[in-house]
Amino acid sequence: AVIPLACSDAMRVIEPQAVQAVLQKYNITRPYVMTIGGSEYRKNVKTVIEAYLGEIENDYDLVVVGGAWRKLDLHRDYANCKSLKFVQGISDEDLIALYNGAETFIFASFYEGFGLPLLEAMRCGTPVIAANASCLPEVSGDAAKYFAPLNSDELRNVLKEVLGNKELQQDMVNKGFERQKLYSWEKTVAATYEVYKEVLGVKAHY
């Protein structure tokens, strides 16, 4: 049985002053694009970096949430790129602020069991770009823009399209708010309970 998850109600739109305080804390002074996953291979952050470097780098920072993974360390590999901001070990409130402040959020993962960051970004009012892989399109529906997960050129084009169109961004934000309403922990619990009843042959509600 496939049972969708949900993200925390703590993920929300917050006041601009709270966002600015966190950006100052991490020395983020320019408009920025955000991704999450650090150096973990399946999170595919390297493709995001490759799409970002060059033209987009001129006007935006790229904030990467997460650190090294096993022997992989993208922070070390791209140490000379000062517009790449790696943050790790951050609090939930700082994460919420980073979502809120981002021009767009990119989730490039090859594989996810569900993909909670998609809903987190949507709840924070941030346009979402996602890899057309695994369950990501199923979770995001028409609220996100998609790219082939290993195609940095395609991602770059999608990113430029979103960043250059405020009307499109607002449409994506509006669709994201509606999309995330489809998921709740109450629905997850109820669906799980029904599976337990079916497996155990229980017909009565307790």
Side-chain angles (χ1 to χ4, degrees):
V2 177
I3 300 174
L5 303 180
C7 73
S8 169
D9 290 342
M11 294 291 165
R12 66 200 187 280
V13 176
I14 61 175
E15 293 295 326
Q17 301 94 307
V19 175
Q20 285 305 313
V22 172
L23 298 188
Q24 184 175 6
K25 175 180 177 180
Y26 294 106
N27 193 30
I28 301 169
T29 58
R30 298 198 302 167
Y32 65 95
V33 175
M34 176 181 168
T35 191
I36 199 166
S39 302
E40 185 176 350
Y41 177 75
R42 72 181 174 92
K43 299 296 185 178
N44 195 27
V45 170
K46 187 173 182 179
T47 296
V48 179
I49 295 174
E50 290 173 349
Y52 162 77
L53 292 176
E55 185 177 350
I56 297 171
E57 180 186 4
N58 293 332
D59 299 309
Y60 298 88
D61 285 344
L62 174 60
V63 174
V64 180
V65 178
W69 181 76
R70 297 182 179 176
K71 295 182 179 180
L72 302 177
D73 188 350
L74 293 173
H75 190 188
R76 176 198 61 209
D77 295 344
Y78 292 94
N80 292 331
C81 183
K82 302 307 179 185
S83 60
L84 271 174
K85 310 286 187 178
F86 285 83
V87 297
Q88 58 182 310
I90 64 175
S91 68
D92 287 346
E93 285 301 309
D94 283 3
L95 178 61
I96 291 166
L98 290 177
Y99 276 129
N100 271 260
E103 297 295 317
T104 188
F105 171 72
I106 304 172
F107 200 45
S109 188
F110 297 131
Y111 174 78
E112 290 292 325
F114 182 72
L116 286 176
L118 298 168
L119 300 186
E120 292 175 346
M122 290 177 188
R123 284 186 64 95
C124 292
T126 305
V128 170
I129 298 172
N132 189 8
S134 187
C135 59
L136 306 191
E138 181 181 356
V139 173
S140 298
D142 68 349
K145 289 286 187 179
Y146 298 97
F147 66 98
L150 284 174
N151 193 328
S152 59
D153 290 335
E154 184 177 352
L155 172 55
R156 184 181 300 110
N157 290 335
V158 172
L159 188 51
K160 287 165 62 177
E161 177 189 7
V162 173
L163 292 174
N165 190 330
K166 292 296 183 183
E167 184 176 341
L168 173 60
Q169 290 175 32
Q170 189 57 56
D171 182 60
M172 294 172 69
V173 169
N174 293 340
K175 288 179 177 177
F177 281 138
E178 292 304 311
R179 186 72 185 180
Q180 61 85 26
K181 291 178 183 177
L182 299 176
Y183 305 94
S184 72
W185 285 118
E186 290 78 11
K187 290 181 179 179
T188 302
V189 170
T192 305
Y193 177 59
E194 291 302 317
V195 173
Y196 285 168
K197 287 200 303 177
E198 181 180 351
V199 170
L200 297 172
V202 177
K203 298 187 182 302
H205 288 274
Y206 295 103

